[in-house]
Amino acid sequence: MAAQPQHRSIPVDSSEVPGPVRQRSRQACLPCRRRKRKCDGKLPCNVCQGYGYDCAYDSTTQSTTTSTSLKRSRSENLAPLQLPKKTMRLTHSLGGPSKGSTDSSILPGVIEPSKPRYVGRYSCIAFPLYVGLEVQATNLPRLHSFAYHTGVRKEPPCAVSHKIAEKVPWNIARSLIEVFTAVIHPVFGFLDMDRICVLCEKHWHGQPQDMAFEALICGILGLASLFNDSLHQETETWTVLHAKEILDDDVISRYPTLETIAAWILRTIYVRSTGRPHVAWLCSCTLMHLVEAAGLHHAPEFIMQAMGNTNPNPETSEIINRTAQVANCVHVLIAFEYGRSIMTFNRQILGHNSTIPRGPGFTSQLCSLLATIPTNQATHDVDTLIQELLSALEKLANTNVDHDFLVLLRADLTLSIYRRLRVLDPSLQQGQNDRVIAAGTTALPAARRLASQNQPWWNVVGSVFQFACSLLVMDTPASCEKLSETMDTLEMIVDRFQTHLAKEALSTVRQLVRASLEKKRKGVEALERVVGASVPDTDNPARESQIMQDIASLSPSLAAQLPIDLEYLWNMNFEMPL
């Protein structure tokens, strides 16, 4: 039996199918023309709307210049997953990378609006989408972790639930929100407090918000209670740990929303105010990783939408910018003070400092302070590093701040730079020491005011303590002159707070002062042996005056210190207060 001929299926152009004739567009948009796709001629067209391209049309007919530019684009072998034309122009104007560059701070990434998750365009998560665009698939793969593991175990369910409305009454929560708005928000102004107040009232009255919002409001209440003591310490601790439990849950942390990042900022500030430096640094690193995961470290024009075109409104963009910048400031501050590594993409965020409007708050001053800090600590050129630190020291001295906490913060950063310079070059010039002394001296009345107001900002004790240590190690007449006021300020703060850490700081400084006094006493005895003098008789003023004259003839600088330093330190009571 003869074999039946096999008929091959031949593709038929849709235009040849009987029925209504498809209306051909007279002009295709630029993205469709560049990709040789059928365009419906609308604005935006169906292709650009589906792929998230920047749909635009050429106002003139396709000229030789346009054809040449398209050929040039094809010859450069641009990837299908590319930025809109407007963004490409902006990248070029900002000095974007040339072909073959791998600078992750400039290369665009991909973000999925339904899950605010950002990945680099070279990520294994984004590659299936890249392949779909390459093969012109009708249904593009979603931005998803395909085959990330074998899947032999199910993911655990969410283990947290709404509890804050049951634990804290609404009237107390409302008063704490007012404290946060008045005390903390002016400095760390990255939240829309009007919107939060409306959502909080719903959250406490039968319309619970999502778990990320509960973590955010727990952070607000915990910080406000730290400054107001409206909550019992056990309730405050529970509130903070409840926020940590939410933020650490795998289901909640899977999608780093803006509220999740805001909650991490508040947690980092609380840990910096109450916890250990290593834990605070870890929190700040987690915070910055979440900023990267949400794509906030890039300006919106550097991010391509995976599906759709959901550009935020101006109000939301301002909140996004503020959140990214405050998160960066907190991380740089903690890492620089603690001497740990700083994440490398932070400078791009600080570079957009002008996006913080000059309003009644002090957030712009916070950003200005941290913008002076050199974050590139990987250089091996000591001379270059010293010059960067000296430049930062001068910029800090010229940065004006109007809030007492920021005055202390400026002193903290100045002292942090001084410690680095002291290690790199112990022979600092007198002018640099004067800048350090000036910054510390300005911080003393600010610390006294904050202590008298019972505002336990983390540097109320720390700034004064570090300033006292710096004055002792300088060991100059100018530094010894400021030591008395510094010790008086530290004693006043200790009497105000009466905490273990404050008493420990005062005791440590007194021990260092006692050691400095003993060192100077040995120096005086050595000088006395040189001139053949005996131990001074305190009941014989003429003899003591003669010894001072002998010391002055040998060391005028030491003689200048003795009336200020030894007389004060000799009569100081070094006993710890009960």
Side-chain angles (χ1 to χ4, degrees), residues 55-66:
C55 189
Y57 289 86
D58 194 354
S59 58
T60 61
T61 58
Q62 188 173 5
S63 60
T64 305
T65 305
T66 305

Side-chain angles (χ1 to χ4, degrees), residues 230-281:
S230 296
L231 295 177
H232 193 274
Q233 287 194 16
E234 293 182 358
T235 305
E236 178 185 318
T237 302
W238 177 91
T239 302
V240 174
L241 292 179
H242 180 53
K244 179 180 182 297
E245 184 182 16
I246 295 173
L247 296 175
D248 289 341
D249 190 272
D250 292 341
V251 178
I252 307 301
S253 61
R254 183 184 305 169
Y255 307 126
T257 64
L258 199 61
E259 289 180 342
T260 305
I261 296 173
W264 267 103
I265 293 177
L266 298 179
R267 168 164 172 73
T268 304
I269 295 174
Y270 187 89
V271 172
R272 176 61 185 87
S273 302
T274 60
R276 304 277 179 161
H278 178 71
V279 181
W281 176 74

Side-chain angles (χ1 to χ4, degrees), residues 420-577:
R420 284 166 170 78
L421 290 172
R422 185 80 187 181
V423 173
L424 296 173
D425 185 12
S427 58
L428 289 177
Q429 297 179 2
Q430 183 62 37
Q432 292 139 16
N433 286 339
D434 292 342
R435 285 195 178 97
V436 177
I437 294 175
T441 303
T442 307
L444 296 180
R448 291 194 294 268
R449 285 191 296 267
L450 291 176
S452 63
Q453 297 168 7
N454 289 324
Q455 292 191 11
W457 292 98
W458 65 72
N459 49 11
V460 170
V461 178
S463 296
V464 182
F465 171 78
Q466 292 292 339
F467 184 47
C469 293
S470 299
L471 291 176
L472 285 172
V473 79
M474 285 180 190
D475 196 21
T476 64
S479 66
C480 293
E481 183 179 358
K482 293 297 180 183
L483 192 57
S484 175
E485 182 184 359
T486 305
M487 293 298 297
D488 290 342
T489 301
L490 189 57
E491 290 175 355
M492 175 265 180
I493 296 172
V494 171
D495 291 339
R496 192 72 178 185
F497 289 106
Q498 289 294 321
T499 62
H500 166 71
L501 287 179
K503 293 178 181 179
E504 183 183 52
L506 179 60
S507 175
T508 302
V509 173
R510 283 175 169 170
Q511 291 177 10
L512 293 175
V513 171
R514 194 180 302 123
S516 178
L517 175 62
E518 184 65 24
K519 176 184 175 181
K520 290 181 180 295
R521 185 178 296 142
K522 291 179 180 179
V524 171
E525 292 176 355
L527 293 175
E528 289 175 344
R529 287 193 297 270
V530 171
V531 297
S534 59
V535 178
D537 184 5
T538 56
D539 296 332
N540 190 349
R543 177 60 179 164
E544 184 177 357
S545 176
Q546 180 63 38
I547 293 176
M548 291 298 180
Q549 294 177 7
D550 293 339
I551 294 175
S553 64
L554 292 174
S555 176
S557 62
L558 180 61
Q561 297 180 43
L562 290 177
I564 298 172
D565 187 26
L566 292 181
E567 182 180 357
Y568 165 73
L569 297 177
W570 183 265
N571 296 318
M572 180 179 289
N573 180 17
F574 290 100
E575 296 296 327
M576 283 289 296

Side-chain angles (χ1 to χ4, degrees), residues 6-19:
Q6 295 181 356
H7 298 281
R8 184 179 303 172
S9 177
I10 302 176
V12 180
D13 193 330
S14 60
S15 62
E16 299 178 2
V17 178

Side-chain angles (χ1 to χ4, degrees), residues 321-396:
N321 291 335
R322 283 177 174 268
T323 303
Q325 290 171 334
V326 171
N328 180 82
C329 288
V330 171
H331 170 67
V332 172
L333 171 63
I334 293 175
F336 190 74
E337 180 185 40
Y338 191 37
R340 289 287 176 87
S341 59
I342 299 175
M343 297 191 68
T344 55
F345 57 76
N346 299 323
R347 180 54 59 186
Q348 184 173 353
I349 300 175
L350 286 179
H352 297 284
N353 190 25
S354 59
T355 59
I356 291 289
R358 300 284 175 176
F362 305 97
T363 309
S364 59
Q365 296 180 3
L366 171 70
C367 294
S368 298
L369 284 175
L370 271 301
T372 63
I373 300 302
T375 57
N376 183 17
Q377 306 178 65
T379 178
H380 299 286
D381 188 357
V382 176
D383 293 336
T384 301
L385 183 56
I386 290 177
Q387 291 302 319
E388 291 178 353
L389 292 173
L390 291 177
S391 176
L393 195 65
E394 183 177 359
K395 291 178 182 177
L396 278 173

Side-chain angles (χ1 to χ4, degrees), residues 124-125 145-150:
C124 64
I125 305 299
S145 54
F146 293 104
Y148 191 66
H149 51 73
T150 58

